[in-house]
């Protein structure tokens, strides 16, 4: 009887350690580069444009800014590299608040966070929107027709965000 109790304790401990390891390894994401973002966009046949000129007065905070869209321009994905994590967190929080301001009557939203990332998506009144920060990078999709959701999610998945 004593042996089976000890085995059960060791099994439970081993399971707890395994779950902790899996939990901790799943709490971080690897940020992509602007080159990675462009490569995924070009592979999909999307148009790509550097939009840093729009941030010429903020180059101390915004280091890189790139936008991509399918040829139909049905939606656009914006990718930013910010100067530091604090700036990226602030950029994320401000833009997330702007997205949340679109909240309608019938909506669903998902917020996720880990050690080095935050993610928010929302579908409301036929519109879909998404923002994710990983370290000093931010990927943003402003309100677009929810019919574009699957294509946007496929892009984000391929980007490994």
């Amino acid at each position: 009887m004593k042996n089976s109790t000890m085995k059960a304790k060791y099994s439970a401990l081993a399971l707890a350690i395994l779950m902790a390891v899996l939990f901790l390894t799943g709490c971080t994401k690897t940020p992509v580069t602007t080159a990675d973002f462009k490569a995924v966009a070009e592979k999909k046949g999307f148009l790509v444009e550097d939009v840093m000129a729009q941030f010429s007065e903020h180059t101390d905070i915004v280091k890189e800014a790139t936008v991509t869209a399918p040829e139909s321009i049905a939606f656009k994905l914006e990718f930013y590299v910010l100067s530091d994590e604090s700036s990226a967190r602030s950029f994320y929080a401000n833009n997330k608040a702007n997205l949340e301001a679109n909240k309608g009557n019938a909506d669903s939203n998902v917020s996720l966070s880990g050690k080095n990332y935050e993610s928010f998506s929302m579908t409301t009144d036929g519109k879909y929107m998404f923002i994710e920060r990983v370290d000093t990078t931010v990927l943003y999709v402003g309100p677009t027709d929810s019919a574009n959701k699957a294509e946007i999610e496929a892009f984000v998945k391929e980007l490994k965000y």
Side-chain angles (χ1 to χ4, degrees), residues 103-123:
K103 190 173 184 176
N105 295 327
D107 68 344
S108 66
N109 63 61
V110 176
S111 289
L112 302 170
S113 63
K115 226 175 192 180
N116 70 333
Y117 71 91
E118 305 168 87
S119 179
F120 173 78
S121 64
M122 182 168 66
T123 304

Side-chain angles (χ1 to χ4, degrees), residues 56-90:
S56 61
E57 295 179 19
H58 304 286
T59 56
D60 56 326
I61 297 170
V62 180
K63 297 300 180 185
E64 298 175 34
T66 307
V67 174
T68 190
E71 287 190 26
S72 66
I73 317 290
F75 60 88
K76 65 180 180 175
L77 295 110
E78 303 172 24
F79 184 76
Y80 301 95
V81 177
L82 294 119
S83 59
D84 56 49
E85 192 169 335
S86 175
S87 296
R89 285 181 185 275
S90 178

Side-chain angles (χ1 to χ4, degrees), residues 30-47:
T30 302
V32 298
T33 64
T34 299
D36 297 330
F37 177 76
K38 288 179 181 179
V40 170
E42 289 168 354
K43 180 179 172 187
K44 292 187 168 294
F46 285 14
L47 307 169

